[in-house]
Amino acid sequence: EADIYQTPRYLVIGTGKKITLECSQTMGHDKMYWYQQDPGMELHLIHYSYGVNSTEKGDLSSESTVSRIRTEHFPLTLESARPSHTSQYLCASSSLWSDGYTFGSGTRLTVV
Amino acid sequence: GIQVEQSPPDLILQEGANSTLRCNFSDSVNNLQWFHQNPWGQLINLFYIPSGTKQNGRLSATTVATERYSLLYISSSQTTDSGVYFCAVLSNFGNEKLTFGTGTRLTIIP
């Protein structure tokens, strides 16, 4: 079944560690996105990609970086995690031929 | 950029009640989606509805694009309907990025 997968589901790490949040989709979607969300609050776009080798920063400034080497894979990396990065990170994808977004289950990150 | 407002911000209802959630947006849109975020944080796509009316079981949605609003109806509420409901839109102009409203937190009491 076509879907979008995020790992890990939960992550607790120490300050200064480097982490990569994984996102993969099996739907062949060209567009992929990363949103950041504090509990119960609205979602803010931090990165997006319209295809391989395309990455752009979103509306909310973020110290994270992304890469898009393969269509199905859109990982997000924090080089040096800080407590201010504690949040939920949601990955999504959409097709060029349909504007409906599909979201992954999210990664809940806690930096201590 | 486009502004998206949702009302009410919070809603507490008894099981079995009906509810209407509203989403107002400030500009023309070519995409509007309703999502339900469950207590575990997962966003579930309920409707893709840039215009018109759709129904799925106890849920239905109507978007009046010319008047820049959308409504989500939940009938015969169940405790599993609890969570936050988000409206998200894609503007006709410019950046092709989905903009989310602030959400309506729905709590269904047994």
Side-chain angles (χ1 to χ4, degrees):
Chain A
E1 180 180 319
D3 211 334
I4 182 164
Y5 306 95
Q6 287 188 244
T7 57
R9 185 73 180 89
Y10 300 94
L11 181 61
V12 180
I13 61 167
T15 298
K17 299 293 185 183
K18 177 181 178 179
I19 57 166
T20 296
L21 309 184
E22 300 290 345
C23 176
S24 295
Q25 50 96 5
T26 59
M27 295 171 282
H29 286 173
D30 292 291
K31 301 180 188 177
M32 295 189 73
Y33 314 84
W34 277 103
Y35 284 83
Q36 184 175 344
Q37 182 191 28
D38 292 328
M41 306 297 286
E42 64 195 285
L43 282 74
H44 295 283
L45 182 68
I46 52 174
H47 296 284
Y48 61 101
S49 167
Y50 287 161
V52 171
N53 294 326
S54 151
T55 61
E56 301 287 343
K57 288 189 180 296
D59 302 320
L60 182 68
S61 175
S62 173
E63 295 167 342
S64 58
T65 59
V66 291
S67 62
R68 189 88 183 275
I69 299 172
R70 304 196 315 267
T71 298
E72 62 272 21
H73 194 214
F74 191 40
L76 180 145
T77 298
L78 277 167
E79 290 292 333
S80 179
R82 297 207 302 269
S84 60
H85 296 139
T86 294
S87 190
Q88 173 158 255
Y89 293 84
L90 289 152
C91 181
S93 70
S94 68
S95 167
L96 284 174
W97 313 113
S98 164
D99 291 319
Y101 281 43
T102 302
F103 278 82
S105 300
T107 293
R108 196 159 290 186
L109 173 66
T110 303
V111 184
V112 297
Chain B
I2 192 168
Q3 304 298 311
V4 184
E5 295 182 355
Q6 290 186 243
S7 60
D10 293 279
L11 188 57
I12 301 173
L13 296 172
Q14 204 79 32
E15 197 170 23
N18 301 330
S19 59
T20 300
L21 282 57
R22 186 176 180 101
C23 172
N24 292 333
F25 41 95
S26 61
D27 212 338
S28 302
V29 299
N30 57 25
N31 175 359
L32 187 146
Q33 288 185 259
W34 282 98
F35 294 92
H36 174 218
Q37 189 165 43
N38 63 25
W40 296 272
Q42 185 164 8
L43 271 173
I44 309 297
N45 183 15
L46 298 176
F47 292 104
Y48 168 64
I49 186 167
S51 63
T53 297
K54 289 186 178 180
Q55 179 152 9
N56 184 4
R58 295 182 296 104
L59 274 60
S60 64
T62 295
T63 297
V64 184
T66 53
E67 296 186 23
R68 299 182 183 172
Y69 73 88
S70 182
L71 301 173
L72 177 69
Y73 306 97
I74 305 173
S75 64
S76 304
S77 299
Q78 301 174 358
T79 55
T80 51
D81 295 331
S82 296
V84 183
Y85 289 80
F86 287 100
C87 166
V89 303
L90 199 68
S91 173
N92 274 343
F93 307 102
N95 60 23
E96 298 184 48
K97 292 171 280 183
L98 208 60
T99 300
F100 281 78
T102 51
T104 291
R105 182 174 299 278
L106 177 65
T107 303
I108 304 300
I109 301 171

